[in-house]
Amino acid sequence: MEQYFGNPNFCHSAVVNMAASPASEFKISDYLILEDVADYHHEECWSLSTETESSEKANSSDASHGFGDATSTTTTTNNNNNIKCKNKGIKQKKAEVSQSITFRTRSQLEIMDDGYKWRKYGKKTVKNNSNPRNYYKCSGAGCSVKKRVERDRNDSNYVLTTYVGVHNHHTPSSYYTQMPLLHSDDWNLLPSATQNS
DNA sequence: CGCCTTTGACCCGCGC
DNA sequence: GCGCGGGTCAAAGGCG
């Protein structure tokens, strides 16, 4: 299931596929620290997609633990894979998959200002996708939130942005982070809203 | 000088 | 065991 969101700064609508999170537990604020979010009605609009490849992994990882700090090194165990995360490594990466959220945004721009400061640390060409995948880390002190940005392999007009982890700080620009919460019906409520759909 | 991007190398899990 | 693919590291260079 998809949900549409708008961000005038991206000048495009966004189709959000929720990855690996029980709908009943998901809160956007767990991924993006929001300031002054007065109306949580929008959160109810978020929905879960079970189609993602990470779903199975997530179901077997620490989804039942809710969404803690992705940077934590506490031990996490599950029934199937017996994932234990004491140090940085692949096993922890698996656990982090459950804390990811993917935005599918129609945009000509791959770099979209979401209010946080990101530092690029990798670039990789992925199979079945002629467009490279870019890897970013949050530049915030002690914050290890990561995001992957790539063009949709099926439609290069769309950009897939996957956030992994939870910010341990507030964004310097709270305005932007509230954008994903806005339903498309609210576009006209935004200042200088433009819609290129 | 500090921070950033670039990019090849490396590591690891997974499938065969 | 081996090769492949995805993710990360780290050195080098650019830029303000």
Side-chain angles (χ1 to χ4, degrees), chain A residues 134-145:
Chain A
N134 296 301
Y135 299 88
Y136 298 87
K137 281 180 182 176
C138 181
S139 296
C143 183
S144 63
V145 174

Side-chain angles (χ1 to χ4, degrees), chain A residues 46-62:
Chain A
W46 287 74
S47 54
L48 173 68
S49 167
T50 57
E51 66 180 336
T52 61
E53 59 187 48
S54 59
S55 296
E56 296 86 353
K57 295 178 184 177
N59 288 338
S60 63
S61 61
D62 63 348

